Amino acid sequence: MDLPPADVAVTAAEQVFDSLVTADCPALLATVEDAPILQQRWGLAAGEELLQESLEHEEGGEPYLAVDRYPPLRNSLDVEYHELLVRPCSRLDILTSTPRGQVSRPLTERLDGQLLYTTAVQDRDVLLAIGRALDVRIVPDRVLSQMEEQRRNKLRLRIAQTDDIRDKIALAFGREELARIVPVAALAGLRAETGEDPTDRQLADLALSVDGYNVLKIHAGSLRKQGLEPPEQWAGRRHAREWVRSLGFPVEYAGFPSSTWDAELLIDGPAALGALHPYQRAVAQRIRELLDPSSESRRGLVALPTGAGKTRAVAQALVEVMAERTGDFRVVWIAETEELCEQAVQTWAHVWRAEGKPLERLSVSRLWGERESEERDGKHVVVASTAKLHAIRRRGETNLPRDYAWLVGPHIIVVDEAHRSVGTQYTQVLAALGGTSRVAEMSTPLLGLTATPFRSWNDRETEVLAGRYHRNRLDDGVFSDDDPHTHLQRMGVLANVRHQLLEGADLTLSDTELKASADFKNSIPASVEKRLGDDEGRTTRIVRSLLSLPPGHRVLVFSTSVDNSRTIAALLSYHGVRARSVSAKTEPNERRRYIEDFKEGRVRVLTNYNVFTEGFDVPSVDAVYITRPTYSPNVYQQMIGRGLRGPLNGGKDEVLVVNVADNITNFGEKLAFHHFEHLWEGNNR
């Protein structure tokens, strides 16, 4: 088609050329030098004169300075563009008018002086739009990476400069991640009570109450989302310590080493030690008689209430024998947990310093966890866990392996928490230590210690336990009363008990739960414990009771489940009572630190599920809450025993025991606390 030159536009601007083409206007794109020549010599129209454009847009957000939103651009843009304003648009169109008509065309961006209109939403796309509009090379990934590093550095600095641990936690995790840490039941309970969501600081306090010193380790994934680059290995290692210190956290938040105990302990003696109580002296004398080859029985069981000093009496009896004898004397002391093992080690150290043979050393070996031991001449006590001895025995298939043959046939074997010692693993270990195929054939003296000399209410199991120790109760007749608790309370060895009963929950067991309970000897199935723990009204009553205690009271709470333990601790923390939750997953050294915090009053309430029934030694406890229903006298006695130490043993004159009276309508048994009413009869008020 032939057109007169005046109907053809020429321009050197690509943007103008595109608009002319879009408007269906004949156009020619020329160089900057050629465009004016074509206009003058050929008579072509100037594209800019034929074209009339107007920009139409709908705002998609607040405008912002490009260098404020993307600070690294300050180093890559000319100073004149530091004032570039970006205006987000939900719609951006260019309206073009020419002699041939009017046309609308959508745009992704348009630069108008120092104002950039753009429909880009994602940061990467906005940066590309800025680069195109200004005709500069911008690498979005590099800019965004620099921004993320700047954000991380600012966050690290803010955390490090913040003093309060709760504020540090709130900054490190952010509100959304903190809400995931806190138990759902605790948040629901708080919202129902206050009608409001907790503040960031309160959420951080709740998170600390359930995860304590391990909160950074347990939720390291959330910290990685924040770009804080937490360590992969914790357990108090150097890199973990450096990392927490860089953020201003106490070093405890780096975790705890797996062990702070040496494999051996050399103990010099003697030192001052208080005399045994008369009942302890009587028991100690009977223990000495077990070591007499002419004794009628080489086995015996010491059954004294928790807090009555069983370990002290046994250690002193054996130390006195060691001091009288020359030559070698070896004791193998067996316990279930690291806490119980270490308690035994410390008791032996204390007693040997006071009662040991002058100028003679006692070797005490710690044989649990990863520790190994070697044979020692002279006086030697090997404190071992059942699991460790079982692992050693398995190396030799049925007998102890060659490197541990020296353990066979010690002068005496002592079993702590002896009510557990009739299981298969114990039986195999005891036989191996005795150098026989059957425990019944073993000639090595065997001494058991327990606070619960029966196996639930199961007569057959109790008979097996009694038979293992030749039915020889070394504590028989050492108290003038039929009930040792009453006698020890009058002495001041055990605390008097003040009792309170809280309303529990009413529930009915399903057929499956009834069968499970029967199969496991009248124990409460886990599903029932969970249902009780999820009962909001029941939990609220427990928390309100705890909040009503005097401000200085230190309290142990035995909860129905791990989640319930965490929920109660969180709710208490929300109300200003410093609490910590402990579970079987809490590492031993971390658990010991919580106990130390509890002793020193830095923590007022320790909640737990099935942890502090054994091996927990805090003399000064003001109250014990038994919120976990149990029908086992053994388990119940272990729980309340944590708070029964009296003034003669560094405890209190009186302890409050709070039981929760749940009504399980179709179970047919009384909760175990009913069997211990003699402890608080006449003391309630």
Side-chain angles (χ1 to χ4, degrees):
M1 179 175 64
D2 294 330
L3 294 174
D7 289 345
V8 179
V10 64
T11 181
E14 290 187 21
Q15 189 170 288
V16 172
F17 176 76
D18 291 340
S19 295
L20 290 167
V21 172
T22 301
D24 199 24
C25 183
L28 178 66
L29 179 64
T31 64
V32 174
E33 295 81 8
D34 291 342
I37 295 173
L38 290 170
Q39 292 176 29
Q40 294 171 6
R41 294 185 180 181
W42 290 79
L44 272 64
E48 287 77 4
E49 294 178 0
L50 288 180
L51 187 67
Q52 293 183 357
E53 292 184 321
S54 61
L55 198 64
E56 294 187 351
H57 72 282
E58 292 181 3
E59 294 187 3
E62 291 289 330
Y64 54 85
L65 283 175
V67 292
D68 284 348
R69 178 76 168 264
Y70 309 105
L73 292 181
R74 291 182 181 274
N75 300 322
S76 57
L77 296 182
D78 291 339
V79 174
E80 63 179 301
Y81 290 123
H82 286 189
E83 298 300 320
L84 179 68
L85 192 68
V86 177
R87 181 178 291 280
C89 299
S90 59
R91 182 180 64 83
L92 181 62
D93 296 311
I94 185 77
L95 188 64
T96 304
S97 298
T98 69
R100 289 179 173 269
Q102 192 176 64
V103 166
S104 177
R105 174 167 59 94
L107 299 177
T108 57
E109 70 268 346
R110 181 78 170 203
L111 182 64
D112 184 6
Q114 290 279 24
L115 181 62
L116 175 65
Y117 297 88
T118 179
T119 58
V121 176
Q122 301 299 322
D123 287 328
R124 191 175 189 281
D125 296 330
V126 173
L127 288 166
L128 288 172
I130 294 172
R132 287 192 298 266
L134 302 183
D135 195 23
V136 296
R137 184 172 183 271
I138 294 176
V139 181
D141 290 343
R142 183 183 303 163
V143 173
L144 296 175
S145 176
Q146 291 173 345
M147 288 173 57
E148 176 61 19
E149 181 60 28
Q150 291 172 357
R151 184 196 67 81
R152 289 197 297 263
N153 289 338
K154 287 181 180 178
L155 178 59
R156 291 189 187 103
L157 184 61
R158 285 186 65 196
I159 295 171
Q161 292 178 340
T162 299
D163 294 329
D164 195 291
I165 291 293
R166 295 167 296 178
D167 293 332
K168 286 179 178 291
I169 293 292
L171 287 170
F173 287 98
R175 184 175 183 84
E176 183 177 339
E177 292 298 319
L178 278 177
R180 294 176 182 174
I181 294 174
V182 178
V184 173
L187 287 178
L190 290 176
R191 291 186 183 116
E193 178 181 344
T194 65
E196 300 177 352
D197 286 331
T199 65
D200 289 358
R201 175 182 276 198
Q202 288 170 333
L203 278 175
D205 207 10
L206 300 181
L208 283 169
S209 70
V210 297
D211 291 314
Y213 294 119
N214 242 1
V215 66
L216 302 179
K217 172 189 172 183
I218 293 173
H219 304 289
S222 296
L223 298 174
R224 291 189 185 94
K225 291 180 182 178
Q226 290 276 68
L228 292 174
E229 300 176 349
E232 294 290 340
Q233 295 181 322
W234 296 78
R237 298 194 178 189
R238 181 178 62 83
H239 182 61
R241 295 198 306 272
E242 291 173 351
W243 184 82
V244 300
R245 282 174 176 151
S246 72
L247 297 178
F249 282 96
V251 70
E252 291 87 354
Y253 287 85
F256 297 87
S258 58
S259 172
T260 57
W261 296 321
D262 297 328
E264 285 194 350
L265 182 68
L266 296 178
I267 304 164
D268 296 304
L273 186 69
L276 294 176
H277 299 304
Y279 69 89
Q280 290 176 306
R281 172 50 60 194
V283 168
Q285 180 57 38
R286 294 173 185 179
I287 292 170
R288 292 169 59 96
E289 292 170 2
L290 288 183
L291 297 169
D292 185 347
S294 63
S295 176
E296 291 184 6
S297 176
R298 306 298 303 281
R299 300 187 189 185
L301 185 69
V302 176
L304 294 176
T306 300
K310 298 181 294 295
T311 305
R312 160 75 194 283
V314 174
Q316 182 152 340
L318 297 178
V319 164
E320 289 172 355
V321 172
M322 289 178 176
E324 295 168 1
R325 296 190 183 186
T326 58
D328 296 345
F329 193 100
R330 180 170 295 115
V331 176
V332 175
W333 187 292
I334 307 173
E336 284 277 311
T337 66
E338 289 192 10
E339 284 85 356
L340 286 171
C341 287
E342 185 58 22
Q343 281 182 28
V345 169
Q346 296 304 322
T347 300
W348 274 96
H350 192 56
V351 174
W352 181 263
R353 290 189 183 105
E355 303 292 341
K357 191 172 184 178
L359 305 180
E360 188 170 6
R361 275 186 165 182
L362 170 70
S363 297
V364 179
S365 295
R366 292 182 171 102
L367 187 57
W368 66 83
E370 300 299 319
R371 302 168 187 80
E372 301 290 341
S373 182
E374 296 181 358
E375 183 176 11
R376 299 294 179 191
D377 294 333
K379 309 302 189 291
H380 188 192
V381 176
V382 180
V383 180
S385 70
T386 318
K388 183 69 174 183
L389 290 174
H390 184 63
I392 292 172
R393 188 197 68 82
R394 291 181 64 184
R395 291 184 214 163
E397 295 185 359
T398 56
N399 300 315
L400 295 181
R402 181 176 300 178
D403 56 333
Y404 275 100
W406 56 271
L407 267 183
V408 176
H411 288 77
I412 189 170
I413 300 170
V414 181
V415 180
D416 203 353
E417 303 298 341
H419 53 277
R420 300 178 180 272
S421 62
V422 295
T424 301
Q425 191 176 98
Y426 260 109
T427 299
Q428 293 172 344
V429 164
L430 291 174
L433 288 171
T436 60
S437 59
R438 297 176 64 245
V439 176
E441 299 168 355
M442 188 175 73
S443 61
T444 303
L446 179 63
L447 173 63
L449 312 181
T450 183
T452 54
F454 42 79
R455 297 279 295 178
S456 186
W457 292 127
N458 189 304
D459 292 338
R460 187 188 66 80
E461 290 189 359
T462 301
E463 180 64 20
V464 172
L465 177 64
R468 172 137 296 177
Y469 295 93
H470 291 178
R471 297 173 179 78
N472 184 20
R473 284 282 295 274
L474 302 186
D475 57 290
D476 190 30
V478 299
F479 299 109
S480 58
D481 307 273
D482 291 335
D483 176 35
H485 285 91
T486 303
H487 185 101
L488 293 171
Q489 284 175 327
R490 283 202 298 267
M491 287 181 62
V493 172
L494 296 184
N496 291 307
V497 176
R498 182 163 58 91
H499 181 246
Q500 285 184 6
L501 203 60
L502 288 182
E503 178 188 353
D506 293 327
L507 54 82
T508 302
L509 301 188
S510 67
D511 292 342
T512 301
E513 289 168 339
L514 276 172
K515 183 178 185 306
S517 180
D519 290 344
F520 290 95
K521 305 176 180 64
N522 288 343
S523 63
I524 296 292
S527 61
V528 177
E529 291 183 328
K530 184 179 185 307
R531 286 164 58 193
L532 291 172
D534 291 343
D535 188 307
E536 187 175 314
R538 182 182 189 273
T539 299
T540 298
R541 288 190 291 275
I542 293 168
V543 171
R544 285 177 178 169
S545 176
L546 287 162
L547 293 174
S548 71
L549 296 175
H553 269 36
R554 282 176 284 186
V555 189
L556 296 180
V557 179
F558 292 89
S559 303
T560 61
S561 66
V562 173
D563 285 344
N564 184 242
S565 172
R566 291 161 59 88
T567 297
I568 291 174
L571 292 171
L572 290 172
S573 293
Y574 178 84
H575 288 285
V577 175
R578 190 56 58 90
R580 290 291 181 267
S581 173
V582 179
S583 73
K585 292 183 178 180
T586 307
E587 296 172 359
N589 283 335
E590 182 187 359
R591 191 156 64 215
R592 282 189 286 273
R593 180 55 188 269
Y594 292 144
I595 293 171
E596 186 63 30
D597 288 345
F598 185 76
K599 289 180 179 179
E600 298 298 324
R602 292 185 290 269
V603 170
R604 274 192 53 203
V605 180
L606 283 177
T607 68
N608 80 100
Y609 173 69
N610 205 27
V611 174
F612 292 140
T613 53
E614 296 171 355
F616 175 71
D617 186 20
V618 177
S620 188
V621 174
D622 297 285
V624 180
Y625 275 60
I626 312 297
T627 77
R628 173 194 174 192
T630 179
Y631 294 90
S632 166
N634 277 13
V635 173
Y636 186 83
Q637 185 161 308
Q638 292 286 358
M639 288 192 287
I640 63 167
R642 302 306 106 195
L644 288 184
R645 291 187 186 276
L648 283 184
N649 281 347
K652 297 291 184 72
D653 288 320
E654 182 179 81
V655 64
L656 172 65
V657 173
V658 178
N659 288 297
V660 178
D662 296 303
N663 179 28
I664 302 179
T665 57
N666 59 336
F667 193 68
E669 296 285 340
K670 280 187 175 182
L671 287 166
F673 74 81
H674 290 289
H675 300 287
F676 293 85
E677 291 174 343
H678 58 280
L679 293 180
W680 50 76
E681 285 178 351
N683 290 334
N684 292 335
R685 58 179 182 273

